[in-house]
Amino acid sequence: MMISKSSKNDTQNEVYVWIWLPNQTHPVVDGRLAPSAQGLQFNYGRSYLERKDAIPIYLPELPLQPGVLPLPPGLSMPGSLRDASPDAWGRRVIMNCLLGIKNQDADTARIDELTYMLESGSDRVGAVDFQASPSEYVPRMAGQAKLEQLLEAADRVEKGMPLPWDLEKVLIHGTSLGGARPKALLDSDDAKYIAKFSSSTDFFPVVKAEFIAMRLAALCGIDVAGVKLVKTLGKDVLLVQRFDRRKCDTGWLRKGMISALTLLELDEMMARYASYEDLAEIVRYRFTKPKATLRELFSRLVFNVLCSNTDDHARNHAAFWDGSHLSLTPAYDICPQLRTGQEATQAMLISGHNRFSRLDVCRDAAQQFLLSKTEAQTIMDHQIETIHQYWNPVCEEAELPQADKNLLWSRQFLNPYSI
């Protein structure tokens, strides 16, 4: 049995999609998402199609044309809208708020997709939001929350404890974020951050390890989101600056974003077929500055291998979308994964059907990124040298204890199997 919107209000069998157009700080309604025999299908509103500044949510998936738009083969809803819907962590929070402690182990599929969209926070990734009304935009926002409040709320959700009303309000703000780990949104006057917390199931210092990986990636010349490592209530918290928001005199501008999963016309059930080679082909033909972008994408692949980020699935790659052009976003979620042995595989295929986490596999795929093997080797050598050079300073910056340095070095970072 699925829990629908009727569990709190009247039954909701449709949502209206609102969009922030480029260089605008207020949204306009652009269409409706509703169930059909094929799945959840979208159609643009007539008033939106008549706008001179209207842009498609994403092409080729949702072209600017009247009528209910067909779904890409194999998908049950448009990928560009699924990108803005809550992921694993956000769904856990919403389930906690709707169902309470006695349902902490319930299947997240018991709540329907439209309810997840309407119950999640409005400051979601990208430039769209979901509303029950086609005429009145009412954002689901929280006031300024303290980091301590966010940490306490996330901790209660992890333990399956119900949230008091004040904590529910601050945590629901960040439910539209992707990923499975505990996180929340934190706003300041001139920037917005994603706060990432440690988990009770962590077997090594995951938060510090991600900070170290992101800092080393930047030192390797990779375009990454800005990060800060802070401590509250005795716990480490990683703050990742959002790059889909920009402050201006009249408010916040939102930048449209599309995941690589959507670019590849796949969903979670088909994610195992996602490959760097297919993504590189899309970059070659559809992205601005394709040659530079391919070099950047290859550099990220190499760094993922060198730091044991085997969670490099297609939702952890994304592109900005302005209505006509695609461009690679800064890297995010570069998080080393627990590694007990030597052999490892990447979440996305690298070369053909090969996904083994080895530099020689990356080198074999170099031509797909318009790189010679010599150029690929230069990138690899530079990253290995940079990691060696800055390992100790970055670990000191993270205040990583020696025991944890020993745990991460040559196991997560520069594992012999990878090199």
Side-chain angles (χ1 to χ4, degrees):
M1 174 179 157
M2 298 184 79
I3 304 297
S4 71
K5 189 70 175 174
S6 60
S7 62
K8 293 185 75 175
N9 299 301
D10 295 331
T11 300
Q12 186 71 44
N13 57 11
E14 63 185 9
V15 300
Y16 291 93
V17 181
W18 291 63
I19 189 170
W20 278 256
L21 294 168
N23 301 314
Q24 299 297 315
T25 55
H26 297 285
V28 296
V29 66
D30 71 348
R32 172 179 174 269
L33 184 69
S36 71
Q38 286 71 45
L40 293 176
Q41 290 186 268
F42 177 81
N43 66 278
Y44 288 103
R46 183 171 59 185
S47 62
Y48 184 75
L49 291 173
E50 291 173 349
R51 294 180 65 101
K52 292 182 178 179
D53 58 352
I55 64 170
I57 295 175
Y58 170 60
L59 289 177
E61 185 177 63
L62 297 176
L64 282 176
Q65 62 187 49
V68 176
L69 299 174
L71 290 167
L75 298 191
S76 60
M77 68 176 296
S80 53
L81 297 181
R82 175 60 182 87
D83 285 343
S85 191
D87 217 340
W89 170 253
R91 292 174 189 237
R92 283 188 64 185
V93 175
I94 292 170
M95 285 193 70
N96 183 293
C97 296
L98 292 183
L99 305 180
I101 183 172
K102 63 183 178 181
N103 290 286
Q104 61 179 293
D105 297 322
D107 182 359
T108 56
R110 290 184 62 195
I111 298 179
D112 65 83
E113 194 69 37
L114 299 183
T115 298
Y116 279 125
M117 290 177 167
L118 291 175
E119 292 295 330
S120 51
S122 288
D123 200 6
R124 64 188 71 247
V125 171
V128 299
D129 189 23
F130 306 111
Q131 295 280 308
S133 170
S135 57
E136 182 183 13
Y137 181 77
V138 182
R140 298 174 296 280
M141 308 288 280
Q144 289 284 7
K146 294 182 179 180
L147 197 53
E148 293 85 352
Q149 290 178 292
L150 296 171
L151 181 59
E152 181 186 352
D155 188 56
R156 291 180 73 93
V157 169
E158 270 222 300
K159 293 176 179 177
M161 300 170 62
L163 289 169
W165 181 84
D166 58 332
L167 293 184
E168 177 181 320
K169 185 177 179 181
V170 300
L171 198 58
I172 206 78
H173 179 45
T175 49
S176 54
L177 299 173
R181 291 185 56 81
K183 58 178 65 67
L185 289 176
L186 185 68
D187 296 350
S188 69
D189 291 338
D190 58 356
K192 291 177 178 282
Y193 297 91
I194 297 173
K196 295 187 172 184
F197 309 117
S198 59
S199 169
S200 58
T201 60
D202 289 345
F203 292 102
F204 70 103
V206 174
V207 170
K208 285 183 184 291
E210 184 170 358
F211 171 80
I212 291 168
M214 293 284 282
R215 289 284 291 113
L216 287 172
L219 290 165
C220 287
I222 295 170
D223 181 21
V224 299
V227 291
K228 297 179 183 179
L229 189 63
V230 299
K231 191 178 289 288
T232 186
L233 299 179
K235 295 184 177 181
D236 294 311
V237 180
L238 180 67
L239 300 182
V240 183
Q241 186 168 352
R242 295 184 65 174
F243 44 72
D244 61 337
R245 298 289 185 269
R246 183 167 63 85
K247 187 73 177 291
C248 69
D249 292 340
T250 56
W252 289 95
L253 302 174
R254 301 194 181 196
K255 302 186 72 171
M257 277 178 57
I258 302 297
S259 74
L261 200 63
T262 295
L263 294 174
L264 295 165
E265 297 187 4
L266 302 173
D267 64 9
E268 277 77 10
M269 299 299 293
M270 299 184 285
R272 65 185 181 278
Y273 300 114
S275 77
Y276 280 97
E277 286 186 320
D278 289 343
L279 182 56
E281 183 175 7
I282 292 172
V283 170
R284 286 200 300 273
Y285 292 106
R286 299 188 53 211
F287 275 56
T288 59
K289 301 179 180 178
K291 188 170 179 59
T293 302
L294 287 168
R295 184 182 182 90
E296 171 73 14
L297 183 60
F298 182 81
S299 298
R300 296 182 189 187
L301 165 60
V302 170
F303 190 82
N304 285 336
V305 168
L306 293 176
C307 78
S308 297
N309 176 28
T310 54
D311 192 38
D312 57 337
H313 56 79
R315 281 212 183 279
N316 280 342
H317 300 275
F320 291 124
W321 168 255
D322 65 4
S324 56
H325 300 98
L326 291 164
S327 57
L328 200 63
T329 71
Y332 55 96
D333 274 338
I334 304 178
C335 186
Q337 303 298 301
L338 184 64
R339 191 165 174 169
T340 56
Q342 293 293 306
E343 187 173 296
T345 56
Q346 298 304 122
M348 286 175 56
L349 296 164
I350 300 174
S351 179
H353 296 290
N354 196 334
R355 63 174 83 239
F356 285 110
S357 305
R358 293 183 54 84
L359 292 186
D360 56 355
V361 179
C362 298
R363 191 183 302 109
D364 288 342
Q367 62 180 355
Q368 301 296 327
F369 297 84
L370 303 184
L371 295 170
S372 67
K373 290 191 175 182
T374 300
E375 290 172 318
Q377 190 63 52
T378 298
I379 291 171
M380 297 173 189
D381 292 343
H382 170 69
Q383 290 193 12
I384 293 172
E385 180 183 345
T386 301
I387 293 171
H388 275 287
Q389 180 180 355
Y390 290 101
W391 172 252
N392 286 324
V394 172
C395 287
E396 289 176 9
E397 186 181 355
E399 299 181 356
L400 187 71
Q402 185 62 46
D404 289 330
K405 285 178 64 177
N406 296 340
L407 175 69
L408 295 177
W409 185 254
S410 291
R411 184 175 296 180
Q412 271 71 24
F413 290 86
L414 301 188
N415 188 294
Y417 173 82
S418 301
I419 302 171

